[in-house]
Amino acid sequence: MRLGLRLCSVRMTAELRHLRAFLAIADAGSVTSAAAVLRMSQPALSRTLRQLEAHLGVRLVDRTTHHLELTTDGRRFLDKAATAVAAVDEALDPARLRPWPLRLGHAWSAFGRHTTPLLRRWKETYPQTPLELLRVDERSAGLLSGKVDVALMRAPLIPREAEGLLGEWLCNEPRVAAVPADSELAAHTGPLNLASLAHHPIALNTVSGLTTLELWPEEIRPDPDAAVLVANTDDWLGAIAAGSAVGVSTSATAEMHPHPDVVYRPLAGTGDVPLMLIWRESPAGSGRPGHPAVPQLVRVALEVLAEDERGTG
């Protein structure tokens, strides 16, 4: 009698170590370097990566090129893996066990002149939940990388990045021009316009900023080769104060970053910039925020805005 052998395939369950391995490879740009960082052998790390790819059913890393690169699926998975690992590290951090802080990220200028009233109102109303205001020099203000729970954002996200995110519109901020205090532009008492800035080098925050040269119509677009590229608000202000460039931002920057060598002027002919509170929904996809205090933060922010409107109305 012949005995038939039944082969049973057991589906692997991905573990935290698989995510850490993938993140290390993506960060290091090679399996060899990542293996050294993780203090494991290269074959063991390659095997761990293959296990994760088998579990997901997609290839995350392109091994056919001379330099290791993430595939399209790998780039999509990168943010999810980083968020998951950050969430686990947060949950297992004894220092954050009690209370659970609410981390509010911003890339620049926070909540403008409403920042201090928001922080004070939160401390008075919810003293058991610390509100940590963090500047993160990323376009998403640390939300996509898992560094914060909720973010004040002005830069729009592309549709792929917006998956699994929820948000609340807070207000619209008018654009302003930032010019050196000793320049001819600063002597103007009225609003400036894009044409008046077009012949000057433009300071562009390429890491977390909102302004690009696309803001100008093509016929008056500033020379891209003359642009002064910076990575954060501090360097942006420094370039303008030194007379090396002019810049465009919103009224919140004028409120949060006064500078003796920089003059802010209203900028006519440009649309306002919407300010949003953005957060991740819970991993289960229930439509609820990942941090339980997010709804309270939204309510407090709207209350602060409403009080300001009544006070100036």
Side-chain angles (χ1 to χ4, degrees):
M1 180 178 68
R2 298 182 60 185
L3 297 177
L5 297 178
R6 176 176 295 177
L7 299 179
C8 297
S9 61
V10 179
R11 183 174 179 83
M12 183 208 79
T13 300
E15 301 173 358
L16 186 61
R17 63 186 178 90
H18 293 94
L19 301 184
R20 292 194 189 279
F22 170 67
L23 291 176
I25 292 171
D27 183 59
S30 78
V31 175
T32 301
S33 299
V37 171
L38 296 175
R39 297 185 179 181
M40 60 190 301
S41 69
Q42 181 177 339
L45 181 56
S46 296
R47 185 165 56 251
T48 302
L49 175 62
R50 288 196 299 271
Q51 291 171 346
L52 178 60
E53 291 177 323
H55 174 80
L56 296 173
V58 297
R59 171 160 286 190
L60 300 174
V61 176
D62 187 355
R63 304 169 182 82
T64 62
T65 59
H66 180 67
H67 298 288
L68 182 146
E69 294 181 358
L70 298 184
T71 64
T72 300
D73 289 321
R75 291 191 295 271
R76 290 172 180 164
F77 184 65
L78 183 60
D79 288 338
K80 294 182 178 180
T83 301
V85 170
V88 171
D89 289 343
E90 175 84 13
L92 298 180
D93 184 355
R96 294 186 177 273
L97 183 60
R98 196 174 281 111
W100 183 10
L102 177 60
R103 302 166 301 169
L104 173 60
H106 70 102
W108 43 272
S109 302
F111 201 11
R113 68 177 184 275
H114 306 110
T115 302
T116 298
L118 173 68
L119 296 177
R120 288 184 176 274
R121 173 70 64 84
W122 182 268
K123 185 177 180 181
E124 294 168 359
T125 309
Y126 301 102
Q128 74 281 4
T129 304
L131 179 60
E132 298 179 353
L133 183 66
L134 305 172
R135 192 184 100 177
V136 182
D137 291 322
E138 299 174 2
R139 199 162 53 87
S140 71
L143 184 64
L144 295 183
S145 58
K147 297 174 183 175
V148 301
D149 305 296
V150 57
L152 289 156
M153 292 180 56
R154 297 170 176 89
L157 295 172
I158 62 177
R160 175 178 60 81
E161 295 174 329
E163 292 181 9
L165 299 183
L166 305 171
E168 177 78 24
W169 172 82
L170 297 178
C171 61
N172 289 332
E173 296 176 346
R175 282 187 169 92
V176 299
V179 301
D182 58 355
S183 67
E184 293 182 359
L185 292 172
H188 286 257
T189 57
L192 298 174
N193 55 41
L194 292 174
S196 63
L197 305 179
H199 300 295
H200 298 267
I202 309 298
L204 300 175
N205 180 348
T206 58
V207 175
S208 59
L210 173 69
T211 301
T212 70
L213 297 183
E214 308 295 317
L215 180 65
W216 280 259
E218 189 172 357
E219 63 271 15
I220 61 168
R221 190 161 297 164
D223 181 4
D225 294 332
V228 178
L229 307 184
V230 299
N232 54 59
T233 301
D234 296 330
D235 293 345
W236 181 83
L237 279 170
I240 297 169
S244 302
V246 300
V248 174
S249 189
T250 75
S251 56
T253 299
E255 296 160 354
M256 291 293 288
H257 298 284
H259 194 291
D261 298 313
V262 175
V263 170
Y264 296 98
R265 289 282 182 263
L267 188 62
T270 58
D272 291 347
V273 174
L275 176 62
M276 304 280 294
L277 266 178
I278 306 291
W279 61 90
R280 285 189 179 277
E281 63 178 338
S282 64
S286 63
R288 296 189 298 271
H291 194 293
V294 168
Q296 287 86 350
L297 179 63
V298 173
R299 184 171 64 250
V300 170
L302 293 175
E303 289 174 356
V304 167
L305 285 169
E307 289 183 4
D308 182 74
E309 289 181 3
R310 288 195 296 269
T312 58

